[in-house]
Amino acid sequence: MARMSYAQALNEAHRIAMHDDPRVFVLGEDIGVYGGIYRVTKGLQAEFGEQRVLDTPISEIAITGAAVGAALVGSRPILEIGFVDFVGTCWDQVFNQAAKFSYMTDGRASVPLVIRMACGAGLGYGVHHSQSLEAWFTHVPGLKVVMPATPADAKGLLLAAIDDPNPVIFLEHKFLYEVKDEVPDGRYTVPLGKAWMAREGADVTIVSWSGAVPWALKAAEQAAAEGIECEVLDLRSLVPLDEDAIVASVEKTGRLIVCHEACTTGGFGAEVIARVVTRAFDFLDAEPLRVAAPDIPVPNSLPLEAVYLGTRERLLEAVRGIVS
Amino acid sequence: MSLSPQDLKQLFRRLLLIRRFEEEAFRLAVAGKFSNYHGGMGQEAIPVGVCYGLKPTDNTMITHRGLGVLLTRGVPVGEIFAGLYAKESCPTRGRHPIFHMAAPELGILAGTTMVGSVIPLATGAALAARIQGKPDVTISFFGDGSVNRGDFHEGVNLGAVRKLPIVYFCENNFYAKSMPLEASTAGGSIIARAQGYGLPSELVDGNDVVAVYEATQRAVARARAGEGPTFIECLTYRWTPHSTAGDREFSRTAEELASWKAKCPILRLRKQLIEAGHASAEELDAVDIDIQREVAEGVEFAEAAPYAAPEVALENVYV
């Protein structure tokens, strides 16, 4: 066990995977010599060489397509796209190509590819560097969608994603990169599709993921001081979804709040609530709530961005409201 | 490298197989037997000339008009017709149009519906061959309609800058659907774009199967020797419409079509074979009869084949 940041944990996962499996290689913009915007790939090129750690042109279509093509012939690429906001430039290669090969070929071809992208706001980066677009990916059958919230999960989920034979969208919250915590040594995997019970409680279930998990834990702590016990469930992956864990928690608490950073409309919170209403309606003591961003682009200045991120403050109010 | 009379007869057989297949597929689509057909009649010399000298481990990525590649690389005729009928007895099992099917065991990595999207994919296959230390070469087929897509520019640039073992192969039939080349493509030359990326390039008569074969062999040898990509532009012409679905004809003239039909790649090789004394007209006619039987049997197979059971729609979304 060692104390390290989320970015360092991801770096260690790369190093283990590249050491263990010669099929794994890494490509992206400024990931080699420079080590990536968030230093996640720092030192990998020096250790594994330019053949396996490729600095590419700023050509998201080419590098995403090339990663898919390489996966089709037996490599296991890890592609870094610096910001999820950039995926629009290469979206066809993600949702029409990577996601469809297994289906099109009756399982005779597969795309064991991990696309790592930074998501999330909080650093004042503005409209093109701050979005949370996870719901887009969940709407494409054939993609898996993983969003770690802690350093230990970042490492274990990335190793699981690399092992997975399917294309995995791996979204890293940029506000979490410098967060430090205990991380187990060596190789371990955190299975995709298994939620983490981040806090147990009897009164309210808060379902969250990625950067919203720390908000949920903070709100739970504040609520506990007022005598309200929240259960916080970190989904870890949205596809596959640990629906059983969500339903089991709601059956226990009778109250559901889904808290996510992304915009409200079409957000994955709607899907979580729909599943719970379908499977556990009779257990609900109050109408389920989603606490999420207003439907606006993410503004640049910190005071304006705080409007977008108002979910943090509204969550505690929502907890108070749902038990009253 | 040089082609024997026996090789030339093999090429003839393959050309004719694609032609008879094209004719039948077009006829059946027009008759409403299946929803649509994107034919490549008149362009047969390209898949045959390119694929004839490839090793089974070399990879090809195809276009909408890639059925000639499937036939030349060994996908059975009946399976391809079954694919057009969207029946179970084809590699996609009716899940995806046959134009874009994959047969990894035959070096067919698939195609995609989005024009030009294969170019980055093929570039990645070549990148992986390099990283894996394999001698495999990738052929990326695309049409003139692809060269105004970002996928073309980004993909070719990446292949060029990393000197990957790939052949960028443009089938220029002068029309992207109904859009004439001169109205769509600034600068007036496709091959000039490749030269702009510093790639060795060749402009080839795409209706001369031997010329296509030889140009491909030169490019493949360069790629296998680690000398990087080559860009080949083949000039050819599609006799049939873009597809059978509603857009039968457009701006091209009867005279233009007739002038290209006079350059038929099959009649041309047939004439060469007979004039050189490699084959008699009777021998080649017998080949034709044999092929027509093979095509007819393929159609029968497809007509008799079942549709996949409904549960097949739910399978293989994930590996």
Side-chain angles (χ1 to χ4, degrees), chain A:
Chain A
M1 199 71 92
R3 191 169 172 78
M4 66 175 74
S5 72
Y6 185 91
Q8 287 166 332
L10 290 165
N11 181 268
E12 193 166 288
H14 279 79
R15 187 166 279 119
I16 290 169
M18 294 189 78
H19 180 268
D20 291 354
D21 187 346
R23 297 173 301 174
V24 176
F25 76 96
V26 186
L27 72 167
E29 297 159 7
D30 278 325
I31 60 135
V33 176
Y34 183 69
I37 305 165
Y38 306 104
R39 323 306 288 160
V40 168
T41 54
K42 185 181 173 188
L44 295 180
Q45 194 178 68
E47 187 172 346
F48 296 99
E50 291 179 23
Q51 280 283 68
R52 291 181 70 198
V53 184
L54 284 74
D55 277 319
T56 71
I58 299 176
S59 292
E60 284 81 7
I61 298 173
I63 65 178
T64 307
V68 176
L72 281 174
V73 296
S75 286
R76 288 187 171 253
I78 306 171
L79 169 66
E80 176 176 305
I81 293 178
F83 296 87
V84 71
D85 315 68
F86 299 173
V87 79
T89 62
C90 53
W91 186 220
D92 168 60
Q93 294 290 352
V94 177
F95 89 103
N96 275 324
Q97 314 309 337
K100 304 288 196 284
F101 269 100
S102 171
Y103 192 73
M104 293 192 302
T105 62
D106 198 38
R108 292 187 305 158
S110 63
V111 180
L113 162 67
V114 179
I115 305 180
R116 296 179 35 248
M117 295 179 273
C119 66
L123 297 168
Y125 286 178
V127 297
H128 292 153
H129 288 82
S130 307
Q131 296 170 86
S132 291
L133 302 175
E134 62 269 22
W136 290 11
F137 303 102
T138 66
H139 198 59
V140 181
L143 299 177
K144 294 190 175 181
V145 183
V146 180
M147 301 185 74
T150 68
D153 273 6
K155 180 178 168 183
L157 287 169
L158 183 55
L159 283 166
I162 295 165
D163 285 347
D164 198 283
N166 298 285
V168 179
I169 302 299
F170 197 90
L171 297 170
E172 301 160 5
H173 198 292
K174 62 179 77 69
F175 201 75
L176 298 177
Y177 279 121
E178 296 310 316
V179 170
K180 290 192 173 177
D181 203 349
E182 295 297 312
V183 173
D185 299 327
R187 169 180 276 277
Y188 65 92
T189 56
V190 173
L192 310 186
K194 188 94 184 91
W196 172 50
M197 180 74 79
R199 181 185 175 112
E200 288 193 57
D203 300 327
V204 182
T205 297
I206 305 177
V207 171
S208 63
W209 53 89
S210 188
V213 173
W215 306 349
L217 288 170
K218 188 176 174 196
E221 197 179 315
Q222 291 168 326
E226 300 173 18
I228 307 167
E229 291 302 329
C230 295
E231 185 146 294
V232 176
L233 208 55
D234 170 8
L235 292 182
R236 288 174 162 157
S237 66
L238 305 187
V239 181
L241 178 66
D242 194 349
E243 191 177 302
D244 289 346
I246 301 169
V247 168
S249 179
V250 172
E251 287 180 354
K252 182 169 115 183
T253 65
R255 295 179 185 88
L256 171 66
I257 297 173
V258 187
C259 174
H260 59 66
E261 183 179 314
C263 299
T264 305
T265 301
F268 197 73
E271 181 64 31
V272 172
I273 290 172
R275 303 250 191 148
V276 167
V277 168
T278 305
R279 271 186 60 184
F281 186 78
D282 291 343
F283 290 89
L284 289 168
D285 298 325
E287 65 188 62
L289 298 176
R290 47 185 174 163
V291 183
D295 292 332
I296 56 171
V298 187
N300 180 196
S301 83
L302 292 177
L304 292 180
E305 192 186 47
V307 176
Y308 172 83
L309 291 172
T311 306
R312 285 178 299 201
E313 287 72 38
R314 287 187 289 112
L315 181 56
L316 182 60
E317 294 162 30
V319 170
R320 290 179 185 134
I322 204 168
V323 294
S324 66

Side-chain angles (χ1 to χ4, degrees), chain B residues 15-29:
Chain B
L15 289 173
L16 199 55
L17 174 62
I18 300 174
R19 173 64 56 85
R20 296 301 180 220
F21 178 94
E22 288 276 356
E23 289 168 345
E24 193 62 1
F26 189 82
R27 187 185 70 77
L28 291 167

